[in-house]
Amino acid sequence: MGFRCGIVGLPNVGKSTIFNAMTSAGIESANYPFCTIEPNVGMVPVRDPRLDKLAALAKTKKEAYAQMEFVDIAGLVSGASKGEGLGNQFLAHIRQVDAIAHVVRCFEDPNIVHVDGSIDPIRDREIINTELILADMDTVARRIDKTAGRARSGDKTGQNQLVVLEKLAKLLDEGKPARLLEVDEGNKGLLKELCLLSAKPVLYVANVKEEDIVSGNHWVDQLNEAVREEDAPVVVISGAIEEELSSMTEEERREFLAEMGMEESGLNRLVRAGYQLLGLINFFTVGVQETRAWTIKKGATAPQAAGVIHTDFERGFIRAEITAYEDFIACGGEAGAKDKGLWRLEGKDYIVKDGDCVNFRFNV
């Protein structure tokens, strides 16, 4: 099960610098607009200290973190919905991601040109959001035209969809993103089918200078206030710091973070925020050969979780052997958990919890 997070923003806000630090991909990051033309794609490990403890306990030969796919998408400018700059490419690429990490520049640097000439996170955010909304307005208008005929002919589904589409058009016309529209379960399929850009969950990445990484600055405060209505998370990152960290050893990273007054890297916080935004959790499989973290949607059943490992596991699911992470560690492993009655068998209706250590029984 793959999850793609698109990194978007105006040109020269630090998207490629941050992506480069995340993936150590060495992509071009230059001081001119549209340096990134084709989207760069990278798999980023979701670092989870629980996995390290489980692997140490099991004396495992190989650790495998869960991964998220990040896509560095070309910079957007005003008018992108009408094809300005690389707008058409930008919009096509963003349709293919599950969530948006919107990088906003919150630092001054005379050596890095801002495409609009000044630092203004509120304006920059509105440019991106407006272009997504304008593109969605065109999509919804076309669908209303198509659905209106069915509704007039008495088609009940068409009539129901037309009501939703008109509410959606009104929301977009007010300059609000599609993700704020509340729909019943029966109409969620319609929204998914429309593949609206502003319906995608979003988090904001405030890119700051090194000295502002702990306390932030007035631009970060402005951004936090602006996104309050959206209830969207803001993650503060220093692209410069993350670039330095990407070339260090693990020990050097720990020392550097301690000197900066940081408990963890900004990128770790970004990936974790992406997980929360998409409603993702990890479960673990633990063994001598390999200890691995697997990503599932919160609320997934045991057979669905088994299917993430292999489709045969889901098709032939019998039972799941479950030990909670805390119990696994406290009891020194599965055998100890069994002795204390903390290991259990669960059936097909069991909802897998974050941190569950699982073995699947199956037959095909």
Side-chain angles (χ1 to χ4, degrees):
M1 186 181 294
F3 297 95
R4 291 163 59 89
C5 187
I7 303 176
V8 306
L10 294 174
N12 291 352
V13 297
K15 300 186 315 300
S16 294
T17 299
I18 290 171
F19 177 87
N20 190 31
M22 294 178 84
T23 62
S24 299
I27 62 171
E28 187 174 8
S29 176
N31 179 23
Y32 56 87
F34 311 123
C35 170
T36 304
I37 298 176
E38 288 303 314
N40 297 290
V41 179
M43 299 301 295
V44 178
V46 182
R47 299 195 177 276
D48 190 330
R50 296 176 300 180
L51 181 72
D52 301 328
K53 292 179 181 178
L54 290 169
L57 188 61
K59 296 182 171 58
T60 193
K61 294 178 181 178
K62 179 185 175 185
E63 288 183 54
Y65 290 106
Q67 294 191 323
M68 276 193 73
E69 185 174 340
F70 280 83
V71 185
D72 179 29
I73 298 173
L76 183 71
V77 293
S78 183
S81 60
K82 305 299 180 187
E84 291 293 326
L86 296 172
N88 290 332
Q89 291 184 50
F90 175 98
L91 298 175
H93 294 143
I94 202 173
R95 289 190 195 280
Q96 300 169 21
V97 302
D98 300 301
I100 297 169
H102 181 169
V103 180
V104 181
R105 181 168 166 177
C106 294
F107 68 90
E108 282 273 19
D109 188 334
N111 297 315
I112 301 178
V113 177
H114 190 289
V115 71
D116 284 316
S118 62
I119 309 304
D120 187 340
I122 308 305
R123 176 203 59 209
D124 295 355
R125 166 183 169 269
E126 288 177 353
I127 288 172
I128 299 284
N129 288 347
T130 297
E131 294 305 321
L132 299 186
I133 288 169
L134 288 172
D136 285 347
M137 287 173 71
D138 288 342
T139 299
V140 173
R142 289 195 300 270
R143 186 57 181 264
I144 286 176
D145 289 342
K146 182 179 176 181
T147 306
R150 290 171 53 202
R152 283 193 299 269
S153 70
D155 181 90
K156 295 296 184 184
T157 301
Q159 290 172 350
N160 179 49
Q161 289 187 350
L162 187 60
V163 171
V164 175
L165 290 166
E166 287 175 343
K167 286 181 180 178
L168 183 55
K170 183 175 183 295
L171 182 74
L172 294 170
D173 192 51
E174 292 171 353
K176 296 178 180 178
R179 60 182 164 272
L180 296 183
L181 183 71
E182 294 183 9
V183 296
D184 57 37
E185 197 65 35
N187 283 303
K188 286 185 178 178
L190 171 62
L191 290 187
K192 187 174 182 181
E193 185 183 333
L194 289 169
C195 199
L196 298 175
L197 301 172
S198 69
K200 296 181 183 295
V202 64
L203 64 86
Y204 292 90
V205 181
N207 190 12
V208 302
K209 281 193 167 183
E210 292 186 28
E211 56 265 31
D212 294 328
I213 189 58
V214 175
S215 58
N217 56 38
H218 67 285
W219 288 309
V220 175
D221 294 339
Q222 289 174 15
L223 183 60
N224 275 310
E225 184 61 34
V227 306
R228 195 179 303 278
E229 182 185 2
E230 286 186 72
D231 195 27
V234 176
V235 180
V236 179
I237 281 183
S238 168
I241 288 177
E242 302 304 326
E243 207 163 30
E244 283 189 63
L245 287 169
S246 67
S247 62
M248 295 180 181
T249 65
E250 194 61 40
E251 187 175 342
E252 289 171 339
R253 285 166 60 90
R254 283 195 295 269
E255 290 177 1
F256 183 82
L257 288 170
E259 288 175 9
M260 296 297 299
M262 299 167 62
E263 292 184 5
E264 61 178 338
S265 74
L267 295 182
N268 281 2
R269 288 185 284 107
L270 172 57
V271 173
R272 193 168 62 249
Y275 249 52
Q276 293 171 349
L277 188 68
L278 288 167
L280 306 178
I281 60 173
N282 282 342
F283 72 91
F284 304 104
T285 52
V286 185
V288 174
Q289 294 302 317
E290 180 184 80
T291 296
R292 179 182 287 267
W294 303 88
T295 302
I296 55 173
K297 280 275 192 181
K298 192 180 296 183
T301 62
Q304 290 169 334
V308 172
I309 299 176
H310 198 287
T311 53
D312 284 350
F313 285 25
E314 181 172 10
R315 186 161 53 91
F317 178 86
I318 300 173
R319 287 280 188 274
E321 302 173 2
I322 305 288
T323 308
Y325 165 78
E326 292 81 3
D327 295 334
F328 198 101
I329 295 296
C331 298
E334 185 180 279
K338 278 185 178 180
D339 290 342
K340 294 189 177 181
L342 298 172
W343 171 97
R344 64 193 189 279
L345 287 175
E346 297 285 358
K348 63 181 182 180
D349 295 328
Y350 176 71
I351 303 299
V352 177
K353 308 295 190 300
D354 185 43
D356 276 351
C357 300
V358 188
N359 287 318
F360 293 105
R361 296 182 183 179
F362 70 100
N363 183 39
V364 291

